[in-house]
Amino acid sequence: SLFSSREVQEHYDSVVAILGAFREENREWDTRPEVASTVLIHHQSLLRNKRLLLAYQNLRLERIKAFRWKCGRLPRATQDKLSAPERDFVKSYERILNSYQKQCRVDLTVGFFPPGENLLKVRVTEDLGVMEFDYIGEADLQVGTVHLLLHEEAERLIIEGKLEHLA
């Protein structure tokens, strides 16, 4: 990793020790420029680490949101790998999204592709076994097989990469 909490603590302890010793000497900054520059370097390191932490956390949250939009709810195995604040974020994000969808009476996670036709010709790219569909009933979705499915039924599986839309 780029930095650790130990590194942050070491910078903080160094600044506190330097400032404590400097105050005991009862001097002005311009009489000890090496102390001023040392404190400045440690302070800039702390600010850099803070920026890196915030950028990293923002990247993780953006990936969590993108995964949610691509695949629906996060699997339990994925949620177990998140930190406690990230799990709280997922719960809040789900709650807000679900509340909005209920108010609008629309599922925002489907409909990424405008339906040019009601039925889509799809090829199975991942073995899914037997699945139930409104239009065709049960279908055995084995790798390489081709099926005609309703747009609404096929879209989520296309987004997840389990089906391929054939034009």
Side-chain angles (χ1 to χ4, degrees):
S1 95
L2 298 173
F3 57 90
S4 66
S5 60
R6 184 176 39 82
E7 180 182 342
V8 171
Q9 188 63 46
E10 287 173 3
H11 279 298
Y12 177 76
D13 293 342
S14 295
V15 169
V16 168
I18 292 166
L19 289 176
F22 189 74
R23 284 191 186 119
E24 288 176 5
E25 292 178 13
N26 207 12
R27 290 190 168 185
E28 294 296 319
W29 287 110
D30 52 352
T31 63
R32 297 284 308 272
E34 71 280 3
V35 174
S37 62
T38 301
V39 170
L40 180 63
I41 289 169
H42 283 292
H43 180 70
Q44 291 300 320
S45 294
L46 287 168
L47 293 176
R48 173 190 166 269
N49 289 348
K50 180 181 176 182
R51 284 192 309 272
L52 288 172
L53 270 172
L54 291 172
Y56 175 72
Q57 189 61 50
N58 187 54
L59 175 68
R60 285 184 60 91
L61 295 178
E62 290 300 320
R63 286 187 177 171
I64 289 168
K65 289 192 298 188
F67 188 84
R68 167 59 178 94
W69 282 98
K70 182 178 179 186
C71 301
R73 293 186 184 269
L74 292 175
R76 173 56 65 201
T78 302
Q79 286 188 26
D80 290 343
K81 295 177 184 174
L82 301 177
S83 67
E86 289 170 334
R87 284 192 297 273
D88 292 342
F89 173 81
V90 168
K91 288 176 188 172
S92 296
Y93 193 72
E94 286 287 335
R95 188 176 60 252
I96 291 167
L97 184 59
N98 289 335
S99 173
Y100 183 77
Q101 290 181 126
K102 284 179 185 173
Q103 287 176 0
C104 296
R105 295 187 185 112
V106 65
D107 184 358
L108 297 173
T109 59
V110 296
F112 289 123
F113 308 110
E117 55 195 57
N118 201 25
L119 293 175
L120 296 179
K121 187 175 183 181
V122 295
R123 176 181 298 122
V124 180
T125 58
E126 184 179 313
D127 192 10
L128 300 172
V130 177
M131 293 183 72
E132 182 76 30
F133 296 99
D134 291 336
Y135 181 70
I136 61 172
E138 283 189 358
D140 189 11
L141 302 179
Q142 300 296 321
V143 174
T145 58
V146 176
H147 305 272
L148 276 177
L149 300 176
L150 286 174
H151 185 273
E152 299 82 31
E153 296 176 331
E155 186 170 30
R156 171 60 56 202
L157 296 170
I158 292 170
I159 291 170
E160 292 173 0
K162 296 176 180 177
L163 299 179
E164 175 186 12
H165 180 220
L166 302 175

